[in-house]
Amino acid sequence: MSRRRTVGRGATAAAAAVALLLGACGGSGSSGPAGGTDDGGSGAAVADPRTAATDLGPQGRVPQFVVECGFSHAAPDDPIVHPDHPGRAHLHTFFGNTVVDASTTAADLASGTTTCDQPLDRASYWAPALLDRGRPVEPTRAVAYYRPGVGVDPTTVEPYPFGLAMLGGDQTADEPQPLDVVAWTCGTSPAREAVPPDCPDGRPLRLLVSFPDCWDGEHLDSGDHTSHVARSAGGVCPASHPVPVPQLLLAIEYPPVGPARGLSLASGSLLTGHADFLNGWDEDKLATEVASCLHRRVTCGVVGNGDRRA
C-alpha cells in the first residue's frame, strides 16, 4: 500500500464581459473555450448528457469553467458554521484563499492570496480532513468545476453574489448520501461510490461534492447555512429560490491510498462527506466566466488529457 503524506501548513456586467473575454475561461493560462459548441446565444435547448451533478459528462458536452487549487492549510476552523470560534470545528483542509481561519469574512477574502491557478478566484473551499487510522492525509489538490445544474438552461445562470456561503453534503449523515451530492471515485473513473473504493495501485482517491445551484436572491447565508440555497429539479429552480447560479462540483484529490480500510473523515464516518464554499471571486471576473463559458455553452479550462475532467 502506498505511503500517505500527513497534513502540514503548506448581475452580469456586459461591458466587463467584453473587456475580459480573452482571459475568461478557466485558469490563469487559459485563453478561451477548450472544446464544446457555441450556439451564438440563440437560447436553443441543448440536451444535458448528465443524469446527476457528479456525473463525468462527456468533454465538450457540459458547459463549464474550471479552476484548480492547491492545498493551502489544515485547521479545526469553520468560518461559516463556527464563526469566531477557533478550534471548535473538526479538522478541515482548505484550498484557494490562504488567509482563512475561524474569523474570516468575505471582505478578508478580497485582499487575500490564493493557491488557485486563476488568481482572481479568491474564494475559499474546505472539507473535512481524510484520516488514515487517525492520521490526516494531505490532499493533492482540489478542482472546482462550475456548471449549470443538471438540465438547467445555461443562459439563465447568474453569477454568485460576493460573499455567498454554501454547504454541500451533510456532516451529520449516518446513511449513504445521494450520489449526485456526495460520491467517491478512483481518479477520473465514471464509477461513483458512497464510500471510498479500493483504488488500483497508482490511482488517486477523489471525493466529489456538488453544491446547491439555486439561490433565494436575497440572503448570503442563513441560520442553518442551507435555507438560502436549494437544488434544482428537472432543470428548474423552486419558486422559493428562483435564481439559477453555477452548480459547483468540488473534486478533492488525495494521493494513492490503496485499500480503503482504516480511512475515516474528521467529521466522523466516511458517510459524512461534505464541503464548504465562501465566495471571494473578483465580481467582474466571475461575471465574465459565466457569460463567456456557461451562457455560450462551451467548456473552458478543460485540458485535452482529461486531468481536469470530473
Side-chain angles (χ1 to χ4, degrees):
M1 181 168 60
S2 301
R3 185 171 60 186
R4 305 169 193 174
R5 296 176 293 166
T6 57
V7 166
R9 291 288 304 181
T12 301
V18 173
L20 297 174
L21 178 59
L22 292 179
C25 300
S28 59
S30 177
S31 60
T37 59
D38 180 357
D39 71 355
S42 67
V46 176
D48 195 319
R50 299 169 294 165
T51 59
T54 58
D55 274 0
L56 179 63
Q59 187 167 342
R61 294 280 306 282
V62 180
Q64 62 187 301
F65 55 96
V66 184
V67 180
E68 181 178 322
C69 304
F71 169 68
S72 173
H73 62 282
D77 295 335
D78 190 325
I80 295 178
V81 178
H82 298 293
D84 299 320
H85 291 285
R88 179 173 291 185
H90 50 256
L91 185 66
H92 287 105
T93 50
F94 291 82
F95 307 85
N97 205 296
T98 61
V99 304
V100 181
D101 59 24
S103 300
T104 298
T105 65
D108 297 323
L109 298 182
S111 59
T113 58
T114 182
T115 66
C116 298
D117 61 0
Q118 170 48 262
L120 294 180
D121 176 7
R122 301 190 189 99
S124 181
Y125 313 82
W126 63 95
L130 178 68
L131 307 178
D132 175 16
R133 296 175 177 83
R135 292 176 57 85
V137 177
E138 184 175 306
T140 305
R141 61 177 180 169
V143 183
Y145 299 83
Y146 291 88
R147 304 165 164 181
V150 176
V152 172
D153 180 349
T155 67
T156 66
V157 175
E158 298 187 14
Y160 303 127
F162 184 79
L164 181 70
M166 291 194 297
L167 309 182
D170 182 1
Q171 67 174 353
T172 67
D174 56 9
E175 58 185 28
Q177 300 185 60
L179 292 179
D180 62 346
V181 176
V182 175
W184 296 85
T185 186
C186 296
T188 58
S189 168
R192 300 290 187 259
E193 305 289 344
V195 295
D198 291 340
C199 295
D201 287 346
R203 296 288 296 279
L205 177 67
R206 294 205 303 171
L207 170 64
L208 307 176
V209 180
S210 73
F211 286 75
D213 61 308
C214 302
W215 175 47
D216 68 7
E218 182 178 358
H219 303 96
L220 298 179
D221 199 354
S222 50
D224 60 4
H225 311 295
T226 59
S227 298
H228 61 300
V229 289
R231 293 179 183 267
S232 60
V236 178
C237 285
S240 58
H241 297 75
V243 183
V245 292
Q247 182 156 65
L248 169 61
L249 173 62
L250 186 64
I252 300 174
E253 184 175 297
Y254 304 92
V257 296
R261 58 183 176 273
L263 295 179
S264 62
L265 289 171
S267 50
S269 80
L270 292 168
L271 300 176
T272 63
H274 65 282
D276 300 55
F277 170 74
L278 183 58
N279 180 33
W281 272 84
D282 176 88
E283 293 182 85
D284 287 342
K285 182 60 174 176
L286 181 59
T288 301
E289 296 284 287
V290 170
S292 300
C293 304
L294 305 190
H295 291 178
R296 293 174 59 218
R297 297 189 175 99
V298 296
T299 60
C300 299
V302 182
V303 296
N305 64 8
D307 283 350
R308 301 174 98 191
R309 292 178 60 190

